Structures are given as structure tokens and as C-alpha cells.
Amino acid sequence: MVYLGIEITILQSTTAVHTAKEIKQQPELWLDIFDDFKEKCNDLKSFISSYCGDINKILLTGAGTSAFIGLSLKGNFYRTFGIETFPVPTTDLLTHPLDFISKQDSVLLISFARSGNSPESTAAAELCDQIASTCVHVIITCDGQGALYNFETRSAKFTILLPEASNDQSLAMTSSYTGMLLAGILVANYQNIETLEAQVHLLAKCGNEVISGYNDSLVDISNKPFDRAVFLGSGPFYGTAREASLKLLELTGGRVVSTMDSYLGFRHGPKAVVNENTLMVYFLSNNSYVHQYEIDLIKSIRADSNPLWSIAIAPSALGSGVDTDTEILFTGGNSIIEEFLSVAYILPIQILSFHKSLNYGLRPDNPSTNGVIHRVVQGVNIYSPNGIFN
């Protein structure tokens, strides 16, 4: 058996088999998630109709990678529900709850968590219950034994448990991230679920083509001597860029220092990070209006900076006059809704980060050689708010 071009015996000897399998399985997992969601969709419609009529604020929350899902989904939820929508990490919600919720708020709290066992997951949900006038919960998780899945909320709760394969065994979140992101998109578009099947199948097709067609190119890029990386994305791809930055940092054990920004934001100072050891990665929109700003920035980087290598992850070829070193193209991507495209766009970076981890002699399933990071965060104490709501 071969995963990401490597025999399973070698993957086992390098403690890499879980990460490789969990990256490769994602397109099939997306189809399973969609099929499961179709069966639950009528129940979700009834839940939203019964409990969400007075909602005036939507919060999308999670910790670490799970928090970045909200960055990709906030626009979709706002456009669909017409309600102010904010991506707020549990790590912010827990320390400064009154910056996001008041006693007058009726909140729909959508929580994302792989295991749901990070202490912040249930603590943040409990704080929202305590503060808001009403807090309706939608929980999207990968672990039916986890604390968040089994958390007893004060108000109504709807739980979406993803297939067991989504519950990554490796430290870095891969299947769990894209699976929960897809589930969140389906929740945002629950009223039109019957129209989205073709989108999900095209998404899975694109994913499989990228995994099989670009693995060798990504191996070659991983061998290049970059020690810093920049990821740029706007709209739903802002969340993708944030996750890509963390994935490379995690899987290389901090040996590659990475950062991210939007295309326009990057001009306002952060461009200073680019040097001859930098990998530039561009996540490109299929929206022609947005695309103009992206192309301007790519041309600017080529003209006044000297990165080691650049990758364009795009729905179609960039054309003449736009110079990047590698183009990773999602065939049919111009027909995929942007939020759906954000699910698949992370695949090349997962693969690149995996191979870079092996290049450093690390164990991708657990790349933290000094034990600084763990699959479930450790050392977080939860403190009583001591009447701050009064």
C-alpha cells in the first residue's frame, strides 16, 4: 500500500502513516459527510425553525485549527442568515466573553472541535449559556466520546457527529479540519442542500486529482531550502491561509516559520518578511473582481522582492504576465462556490508540510520533538468568572 508516494512500511518506520492516510482519504470523506448530512438536514431545518427565530448574533468558535474554520465561513453565514456573524476563537471567548456577548443577545453558537476535549471547548459554551439571554448551540465534532459532544447545554442543542475517519489520530488536523469546514458550509446552506450534491462531487474529484497529480511536484518543493513561508488569501481563503500557516509550522516542528495575511493587508508592512529563503503561497479566488487585487500583489512581489519559490493555488491558469514558479490548478474550480473551494485548497499545503516534515527527519504523526504541542492541548486551567457578568 502506498500513501502520498511512500510505501506503508516506510511510513510506519517514520511514524508517518496516520498523517499520510488522513490526508489522502479526504475526498472520499467529503462524500460521506455530505451523504450523512442529507439524512440529518430535515432535523436541522426543524431545529433552526423551532429555536433560532429570535437569534441576533452568530458566533463561530473553536480553538487552533478549529477556530480558523469560522474565518472561512463568516461570509457564508452572514449572507445566508442575514445576521451579524463573528468568528471568535474559544481562547478569546473564554478570557474576554463580554467583548462578544451581552445579556441582551440571543446567540447561535456554532462550535467546531476535533475531539472536544480541549478545556476551552466546554468552558466557552458554558460562558455563553451564562451570559446571553438565549444561547442556541450547534456542535460540529469528530469524536462521539468527547466532552463537547456530551456537554449538557442550558438551551437547545443540535449536534453533528462526523464519520469516525474524520477523527485524526495524528497530531496535526487534516481530515478533521476539512470535514468540519465542509459540514459548516452545509449548515450555512441547509435550505438548498439538494442543489449542492454536484458541488461536493466536483470538489472530491478536484481533491483526488490534486493528490495524485501534484504529489511529486510538492515533494520537489519540499526539498528546497526555505525556512520561512508566507500564505496569502482573501475572503474564505483567509481562513485557508491561516490554517496553512499553522500546518507548516506544526509539521516542521517550528523549523519553518510561517505567517499569513490578505492580499491587500500584506502591503501594509508585512511584505518586509520576504527574503531569499521565503516560500510564497497564493490562494487565488475564482471571483474575477477579487482576482484583480490578487494578481496586482503577485506582480508586485515578483517586481520588488526575491522569494526562493512561489506557488499559485488556483482554479485555472494565471495566464501570461503573471509569474509564479509552480501552479497547482483545480480543474473545474471556476464552477465551485468559493467556500467549497476553500475545503480543497488546503490539500497541497498538507502534502507539502508532510514531506517537509520527513525532510527534517521528524515524525509527522507527532512532529514535536520536545513535546511542546500535543494532539489535545494540555496545561489549560479554567477559572471562575467571579461575577463579571453582574
Side-chain angles (χ1 to χ4, degrees):
M1 188 69 71
V2 176
Y3 296 98
L4 304 184
I6 303 174
E7 290 283 349
I8 193 167
T9 53
I10 298 174
L11 292 171
Q12 290 168 337
S13 68
T14 53
T15 317
V17 67
H18 287 306
T19 309
K21 289 174 67 175
E22 287 157 3
I23 291 172
K24 186 176 186 296
Q25 74 181 0
Q26 289 173 99
E28 297 307 315
L29 177 64
W30 302 339
L31 298 175
D32 291 341
I33 288 171
F34 182 77
D35 288 341
D36 286 354
F37 188 86
K38 282 194 299 183
E39 295 181 3
K40 302 170 185 173
C41 193
N42 284 334
D43 292 338
L44 178 63
K45 289 178 181 178
S46 297
F47 177 85
I48 291 174
S49 176
S50 298
Y51 297 107
C52 296
D54 295 326
I55 295 299
N56 69 343
K57 181 180 292 185
I58 298 173
L59 299 182
L60 307 171
T61 194
T65 287
S66 298
F68 308 152
I69 294 170
L71 295 173
S72 290
L73 294 182
K74 62 179 181 177
N76 199 172
F77 272 91
Y78 176 70
R79 294 191 309 271
T80 300
F81 285 82
I83 297 171
E84 285 189 304
T85 302
F86 303 95
V88 182
T90 54
T91 48
D92 291 348
L93 200 52
L94 191 57
T95 59
H96 292 78
L98 298 183
D99 288 355
F100 309 105
I101 313 169
S102 74
K103 292 181 178 181
Q104 289 73 44
D105 284 328
S106 293
V107 175
L108 173 58
L109 182 70
I110 302 179
S111 299
F112 299 93
R114 174 169 62 178
S115 71
N117 290 323
S118 297
E120 303 100 323
S121 296
T122 53
E126 186 173 5
L127 274 177
C128 288
D129 274 343
Q130 292 174 9
I131 301 171
S133 171
T134 303
C135 183
V136 177
H137 297 262
V138 171
I139 293 171
I140 301 175
T141 185
C142 307
D143 189 349
Q145 303 301 313
L148 185 62
Y149 180 84
N150 294 287
F151 179 65
E152 293 295 329
T153 60
R154 292 188 182 182
S155 300
K157 175 180 76 170
F158 189 92
T159 305
I160 298 173
L161 178 63
L162 300 190
E164 185 177 354
S166 69
N167 191 15
D168 307 309
Q169 297 307 298
S170 54
L171 183 149
M173 292 174 64
T174 54
S175 286
S176 54
Y177 168 73
T178 62
M180 289 192 290
L181 176 55
L182 175 59
I185 295 169
L186 297 177
V187 170
N189 296 279
Y190 75 98
Q191 292 178 318
N192 304 306
I193 194 68
E194 65 280 353
T195 69
L196 298 177
E197 187 161 5
Q199 285 280 306
V200 177
H201 279 266
L202 181 55
L203 184 71
K205 179 176 180 290
C206 285
N208 279 320
E209 288 175 354
V210 166
I211 292 170
S212 62
Y214 288 97
N215 183 69
D216 290 348
S217 295
L218 291 164
V219 170
D220 290 343
I221 296 170
S222 76
N223 289 323
K224 297 185 183 300
F226 60 88
D227 59 13
R228 62 177 68 181
V230 175
F231 300 90
L232 299 182
S234 300
F237 307 122
Y238 188 84
T240 311
R242 187 69 182 87
E243 168 60 6
S245 177
L246 177 61
K247 208 52 47 197
L248 183 58
L249 184 70
E250 282 181 327
L251 281 170
T252 63
R255 288 161 176 78
V256 177
V257 178
S258 54
T259 188
M260 55 76 59
D261 212 321
S262 66
Y263 284 86
L264 290 178
F266 193 59
R267 294 178 180 273
H268 292 263
K271 278 180 70 175
V273 75
V274 181
N275 67 9
E276 66 279 2
N277 297 317
T278 303
L279 172 70
M280 293 293 306
V281 179
Y282 306 107
F283 296 105
L284 288 131
S285 175
N286 58 9
N287 180 314
S288 59
Y289 170 72
V290 177
H291 196 60
Q292 298 171 101
Y293 292 104
E294 297 168 341
I295 296 303
D296 283 352
L297 190 281
I298 293 172
K299 290 180 177 179
S300 172
I301 292 292
R302 183 59 74 185
D304 59 25
S305 302
N306 186 33
L308 176 69
W309 201 259
S310 60
I311 303 173
I313 299 174
S316 57
L318 301 188
S320 60
V322 184
D323 188 12
T324 59
D325 298 299
T326 300
E327 290 186 358
I328 296 177
L329 305 180
F330 283 73
T331 305
N334 282 320
S335 300
I336 299 177
I337 299 167
E338 270 196 316
E339 283 79 15
F340 280 94
L341 202 53
S342 72
V343 175
Y345 262 12
I346 194 63
L347 289 175
I349 305 309
Q350 293 174 346
I351 296 169
L352 173 67
S353 302
F354 170 80
H355 290 300
K356 192 70 171 175
S357 183
L358 289 173
N359 289 348
Y360 280 121
L362 301 174
R363 300 173 299 163
D365 290 351
N366 187 17
S368 182
T369 56
N370 56 5
V372 171
I373 56 175
H374 307 86
R375 183 177 181 276
V376 178
V377 70
Q378 298 180 11
V380 178
N381 298 312
I382 303 300
Y383 299 100
S384 169
N386 293 324
I388 65 169
F389 314 137
N390 298 331

